[in-house]
Amino acid sequence: MSLADRVKQRRIELGLTQTEVAEKAGITQQSWASIEDGKTLKPRNIVGMADALQCEPAWLMNGGTFVPVSEVNTRRIPLINYVQAGALATKPAIEAMDGSFEYVLTDMDWSQYTFALKIVGDSMEPDFKAGDVIVVDPEIEPAPGEFVVAKNGEHEATFKKYRPTFFSNGKQHFELVPLNNDYPTMGSADHEIKIIGTMVEHRIYRRKR
């Protein structure tokens, strides 16, 4: 059985149309149809497709014995918004993320407070584009050059590159650096900034031009 056959068979088992499953995976119906027709042999968004089809990416690509995702060592990570992420700076996770939200799946052993965010805007282009999803673990301290979610005094969170600068009175100061030069760098010496968590996964669901 080919990749195209597995994708189509699993979609039909779930009772989904190509349009419905493509939306869940974050791609167009035309792209999905190309995969089922066997024209696309190595989809870039295999993780998103696996999420939509409730199966393992490895099974989609390589076949073998099908194991439902519920029986695999996976866990659900809440996909929250930037207001909820900003609230994590001052509230316990259960309060800040109270409400209804979607989930993404991971098989990594991140902390219980890990959350996901969907990229908005263009301040982190070209590496991070609107629609990409990042997974963030609040219990991991950032290293120089890693990417963090932080609260910069506003209600919403922001996603930037972490760059330590200098120590002062036993405190490590740092800058939040956008990858797009059209946006300003923020420094903790001049702004009240609190690091919320460090990016541990980057999901690219599409690259359309």
Side-chain angles (χ1 to χ4, degrees):
M1 186 183 291
S2 67
L3 167 67
D5 294 331
R6 288 189 291 273
V7 169
K8 184 175 183 179
Q9 174 184 295
R10 184 61 181 156
R11 174 181 63 79
I12 293 173
E13 288 175 356
L14 294 173
L16 298 171
T17 66
Q18 287 186 348
T19 300
E20 290 170 336
V21 76
E23 183 177 352
K24 290 176 179 290
I27 63 176
T28 65
Q29 183 274 329
Q30 291 83 1
S31 295
W32 192 279
S34 178
I35 295 167
E36 287 196 5
D37 290 341
K39 297 176 182 177
T40 301
L41 301 179
K42 294 183 179 180
R44 296 182 181 179
N45 55 323
I46 194 69
V47 173
M49 292 175 59
D51 284 350
L53 293 171
Q54 300 174 33
C55 65
E56 280 288 277
W59 177 79
L60 276 185
M61 291 302 299
N62 305 315
T65 303
F66 174 76
V67 180
V69 73
S70 58
E71 299 179 16
V72 182
N73 185 26
T74 59
R75 54 177 290 212
R76 299 195 305 170
I77 302 294
L79 179 64
I80 65 177
N81 60 44
Y82 283 77
V83 173
Q84 291 170 317
L88 289 172
T90 56
K91 294 182 180 180
I94 190 64
E95 294 179 17
M97 297 194 294
D98 185 30
S100 175
F101 34 73
E102 300 177 50
Y103 293 88
V104 299
L105 298 177
T106 184
D107 57 2
M108 300 298 292
D109 188 24
W110 308 126
S111 79
Q112 61 179 317
Y113 304 113
T114 300
F115 61 91
L117 279 178
K118 185 171 290 186
I119 300 297
V120 296
D122 61 355
S123 68
M124 294 297 282
E125 288 193 357
D127 291 9
F128 300 88
K129 295 182 180 294
D132 290 357
V133 170
I134 57 171
V135 176
V136 179
D137 192 338
E139 295 198 354
I140 294 181
E141 292 291 329
E146 290 191 314
F147 299 97
V148 299
V149 171
K151 186 174 182 181
N152 64 347
E154 303 297 330
H155 294 296
E156 296 187 9
T158 185
F159 174 59
K160 297 291 183 289
K161 185 177 181 178
Y162 173 79
R163 182 167 65 195
T165 51
F166 62 92
F167 274 98
S168 177
N169 297 322
K171 180 180 179 180
Q172 174 68 68
H173 285 280
F174 57 87
E175 292 178 332
L176 297 182
V177 184
L179 299 184
N180 185 337
N181 292 330
D182 290 337
Y183 291 81
T185 294
M186 294 179 291
S188 63
D190 305 312
H191 300 84
E192 183 180 349
I193 304 175
K194 179 177 177 58
I195 302 294
I196 296 171
T198 303
M199 186 194 79
V200 290
E201 294 184 40
H202 176 202
R203 312 264 180 101
I204 302 174
Y205 290 110
R206 56 86 203 96
R207 276 289 186 266
K208 294 186 296 183
R209 285 293 183 185

